[in-house]
């Protein structure tokens, strides 16, 4: 889990492009993150930081997929390995290489970090792992593991700060921050769900139940979104044939997107999600901050 104390991260833009090649570091730590857009891979070869031993992440977002894709690997020369993946893997558009400023990473270090990151990424489940099977735990000494956990903590902060929280643990919502989306018609439970707002949107918690049948006027984006989540295993059909259940936590971009996926029809999530006292998300999170504009309800 990311250390929540205040920290300063330094970004260096070798080409002066804010969205181009970037090098991020916490100045008091030895770990660096080198962010490489795929179309800048040739220019990135000039950076000595990328020529070292490291663990790397490839990121992609397919047009029709519930989650972005990530591949985690290790290499003795990160740029050479990225060039190999440029020729053999189509899905990715961005890469992040984690290297040591002092050149202290060895093959043993990055093999362990690769294994540990794959396990954490599967546990967090924000991304679909291209290499989800992983391998057995590499042998490391106890002192080495202690050092690598410190390196992992920095890796976690840097990848998240660059916009890719692939190994960042989900925050456990405080009890007063949990909201409920509940609909109970006379003939049974239609929707019984829990969730909470996050920095990335709104998270529906595992175990939440919703209506399987979708309204005739549900938009195509809602129908296709439900299908993608079911194909990814995020949503599963219950044995009664009437309901769906979230098999894992899943974060939507808006509260309305979360509510609509559960209800199966257009809905305003700001009023559908309520706390234990019946106060809406709108009352607690928007009106309290002076925000009054209507939510568009688009979860795409």
């Amino acid at each position: 889990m990311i250390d929540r104390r205040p920290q300063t991260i330094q970004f260096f833009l070798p080409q002066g492009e804010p969205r181009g090649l970037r090098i991020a570091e916490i100045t008091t730590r030895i770990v660096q993150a080198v962010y490489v857009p795929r179309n800048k891979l040739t220019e990135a070869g000039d950076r000595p930081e990328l020529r070292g031993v490291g663990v790397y992440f490839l990121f992609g977002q397919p047009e029709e997929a519930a989650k972005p894709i990530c591949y985690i690997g290790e290499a003795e020369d990160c740029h050479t390995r990225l060039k190999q993946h440029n020729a053999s893997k189509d899905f990715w558009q961005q890469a992040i290489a984690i290297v040591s400023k002092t050149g202290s990473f060895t093959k043993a270090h990055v093999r362990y970090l690769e294994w540990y990151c794959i396990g954490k990424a599967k546990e967090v489940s924000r991304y679909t792992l291209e290499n989800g099977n992983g391998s057995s735990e590499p042998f490391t000494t106890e002192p080495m593991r202690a050092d690598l956990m410190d390196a992992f903590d920095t890796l976690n902060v840097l990848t998240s700060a660059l916009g890719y929280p692939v190994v960042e643990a989900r925050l456990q919502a405080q009890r007063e921050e949990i909201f409920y989306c509940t609909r109970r018609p006379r003939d049974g439970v239609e929707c019984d769900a829990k969730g909470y707002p996050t920095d990335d949107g709104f998270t529906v918690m595992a175990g939440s139940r919703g209506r399987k049948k979708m309204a005739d006027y549900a938009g195509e984006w809602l129908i296709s979104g439900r299908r993608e989540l079911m194909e990814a295993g995020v949503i599963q059909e219950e044995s009664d044939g009437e309901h769906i259940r979230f098999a894992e936590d899943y974060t939507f971009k808006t509260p309305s997107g979360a509510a609509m996926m559960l209800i199966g029809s257009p809905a305003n999530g700001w009023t559908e999600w309520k706390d234990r006292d019946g106060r809406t998300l709108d009352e607690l999170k928007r009106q309290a901050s002076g925000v009054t504009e209507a939510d568009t309800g688009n979860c795409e």
Side-chain angles (χ1 to χ4, degrees):
M1 185 176 189
I2 286 182
D3 189 341
R4 299 296 164 183
R5 63 182 173 75
Q7 299 184 70
T8 299
I9 297 176
Q10 176 178 286
F11 289 91
F12 175 55
L13 313 178
Q15 299 169 321
E17 299 176 7
R19 295 178 61 84
L21 186 66
R22 282 172 270 170
I23 300 172
E25 63 180 58
I26 298 174
T27 54
T28 56
R29 302 293 184 92
I30 68 167
V31 174
Q32 283 182 320
V34 185
Y35 171 84
V36 184
R38 189 168 185 168
N39 67 338
K40 299 291 184 183
L41 187 56
T42 300
E43 296 94 317
D46 296 331
R47 299 304 312 175
E49 298 91 345
L50 205 56
R51 294 291 184 177
V53 177
V55 60
Y56 62 88
F57 304 81
L58 307 179
F59 299 102
Q61 177 64 71
E63 292 292 335
E64 296 185 0
K67 297 180 183 180
I69 296 177
C70 177
Y71 178 91
I72 303 174
E74 54 82 16
E76 295 185 44
D77 182 320
C78 287
H79 185 257
T80 296
R81 184 60 55 82
L82 292 182
K83 286 196 301 181
Q84 293 170 350
H85 288 315
N86 190 42
S88 62
K89 296 186 185 299
D90 293 330
F91 77 90
W92 67 282
Q93 293 301 322
Q94 299 85 24
I96 296 177
I98 303 297
V99 297
S100 166
K101 290 190 288 186
T102 59
S104 56
F105 280 168
T106 66
K107 186 73 170 177
H109 289 128
V110 295
R111 286 187 64 237
Y112 186 86
L113 280 175
E114 175 197 36
W115 171 82
Y116 193 79
C117 286
I118 288 174
K120 283 297 180 182
K122 291 172 67 176
E123 179 183 317
V124 172
S125 192
R126 283 194 178 93
Y127 291 74
T128 297
L129 285 189
E130 184 76 1
N131 56 338
N133 292 331
S135 57
S136 58
E137 179 179 356
F139 171 77
T140 52
T141 63
E142 186 176 357
M144 181 185 290
R145 284 197 302 275
D147 288 344
L148 289 174
M149 287 304 94
D150 185 69
F152 173 80
D153 289 343
T154 306
L155 173 160
N156 190 4
V157 171
L158 295 178
T159 52
S160 293
L162 285 165
Y164 299 89
V166 61
V167 294
E168 181 185 349
R170 296 180 187 271
L171 286 175
Q172 294 299 313
Q174 298 296 321
R175 180 174 294 274
E176 62 270 19
E177 282 294 306
I178 295 179
F179 289 81
Y180 303 83
C181 181
T182 306
R183 287 191 177 189
R184 289 188 171 91
R186 291 181 181 178
D187 57 350
V189 175
E190 183 177 82
C191 180
D192 187 10
K194 295 193 294 185
Y196 54 93
T198 70
D199 293 341
D200 299 318
F202 193 90
T203 297
V204 175
M205 298 173 67
S208 294
R209 301 176 72 210
R211 179 187 180 199
K212 179 189 173 185
K213 184 178 180 181
M214 306 189 79
D216 295 337
Y217 49 89
E220 177 57 35
W221 64 267
L222 181 55
I223 296 171
S224 61
R226 171 78 72 83
R227 182 176 61 249
E228 290 164 6
L229 287 175
M230 294 191 78
E231 290 174 352
V234 175
I235 289 176
Q236 297 176 351
E237 181 180 340
E238 291 201 329
S239 58
D240 64 5
E242 299 292 331
H243 298 91
I244 53 97
R245 181 184 294 272
F246 276 71
E248 60 186 67
D249 289 2
Y250 186 82
T251 302
F252 292 86
K253 292 181 180 179
T254 67
S256 292
M260 285 187 279
M261 197 59 65
L262 287 155
I263 296 168
S265 65
N268 185 345
W270 291 95
T271 55
E272 291 286 350
W273 292 101
K274 300 175 183 178
D275 71 1
R276 287 187 179 275
D277 298 320
R279 296 173 297 178
T280 67
L281 187 63
D282 181 70
E283 292 176 70
L284 296 172
K285 296 296 182 180
R286 293 209 302 182
Q287 293 181 27
S289 63
V291 179
T292 59
E293 64 269 19
D295 175 32
T296 63
N298 191 340
C299 73
E300 292 185 316

